[in-house]
Amino acid sequence: MSGLGARDIGHRVVVRHRIPGGLTDVIGVLQAWDPHGLAVRHVDSTVHEIAAVDITAAKTIPEMPLRPVDVDQLFLTAALGRPAAETAYVGHWLLRASSGWTGRANSLLPTGSPGMPVPDVLRQAENFYAERGLPPQAQVRLGSPADEEIRACGWVDARPQQSDVLVMHTTLDHVNAEPGYAVELTERPNAQWYAAAFDGPVPEIAPKVLEGAAKAMFASITLDAQVVAIGRGSMTGHWLGVDAIRVCDGYRRRGLGTAIVQGLARWAGPNGGRRTYLEVLLENAAAMATYTRLGYREAYRYRYLTSR
């Protein structure tokens, strides 16, 4: 098969093969290979299974270039990929609450039009969070009109000592190579997954948040008879969101985080995935380096604002 092998699974290939009446080419990601044939996933997620005897030529080709991203759409997509335990709408703006666990699940998301003046929305937000015993917060995309409007109403940085949060994106083809470790995927995380995800007791609300997406998958790697790396993937349209990546002490700098991302990407491809995003603190140099090597690039940054 012109040099293609199991090592090429996850990479883009072109395969010329016989069909009734002639020859045709299939371009896509090599999804499976064995001496008897292979399977190529086209960009529309159609899987073409081709017998080895029908292949006349096959080779790897360069990855697809990274297209610009609609940051407004991605801002909302990322929120839908990890929904809060409780939500309410003010126009298109989203109020989220989850007993105070994580900023994303306990903040106002300004996307689209609120349908009323921003000062009125912020008063509703303050009342919403006060009723739940939570501080009022807004997750704002830096440089967006909503960021400027909310700041003009007197809201200030809620976490001045913390760096910006980067949302990074890439095409799935960049990250769905064969992982260097066996990655187990399950639709529901077990106790071992949660034990690796948290240093102490699991927050009571955490399972509702982490397991609340319409389509999610939980990844783990077991070494030395224990779960030592975990991550979560969620599908929203053709987007794979990757989050909750954690590698236990003593197992870092061994490529486990990379393998988790790749394992989730290989799940997302057959489920219609074409692009992927994740979030990382700018100050997390090690994670930034890993994701950059995988092909992720910055889409936008966000911070949290709060009322004075």
Side-chain angles (χ1 to χ4, degrees), residues 101 194-195 197-207:
W101 185 68
Y194 277 113
F198 295 92
D199 287 327
V202 178
E204 184 177 353
I205 197 68

Side-chain angles (χ1 to χ4, degrees), residues 206-285:
K208 188 170 185 179
V209 174
L210 292 170
E211 300 176 38
K215 183 184 290 187
M217 188 63 67
F218 297 84
S220 63
I221 296 173
T222 300
L223 296 176
D224 303 325
Q226 62 176 327
V227 173
V228 298
I230 57 97
R232 173 186 177 273
S234 61
M235 289 293 300
T236 306
H238 66 270
W239 281 100
L240 165 68
V242 178
D243 65 3
I245 295 178
R246 194 160 190 263
V247 179
C248 295
D249 291 342
Y251 292 89
R252 292 170 182 161
R253 300 187 180 276
R254 295 168 58 174
L256 294 170
T258 294
I260 289 290
V261 174
Q262 292 169 332
L264 289 169
R266 290 166 72 82
W267 159 73
N271 284 281
R274 297 187 186 180
R275 308 185 80 172
T276 172
Y277 68 88
L278 49 74
E279 302 186 4
V280 60
L281 283 169
L282 181 60
E283 64 196 32
N284 190 342

Side-chain angles (χ1 to χ4, degrees), residues 1-4 13-16 38 55-60:
M1 282 186 272
S2 299
L4 289 186
V13 298
V14 57
V15 179
R16 176 161 293 183
L38 50 75
I55 295 172
T56 62
K59 65 179 181 178
T60 59

Side-chain angles (χ1 to χ4, degrees), residues 161-194:
Q161 282 75 43
Q162 181 178 291
S163 67
D164 296 343
V165 181
L166 269 65
V167 176
M168 306 181 75
H169 74 106
T170 190
T171 62
L172 210 63
D173 291 350
H174 282 72
V175 295
N176 67 355
E178 186 174 8
Y181 296 87
V183 180
E184 181 180 358
L185 300 174
T186 59
E187 293 183 353
R188 287 287 180 268
N190 57 21
Q192 290 73 32
W193 192 96
Y194 277 113

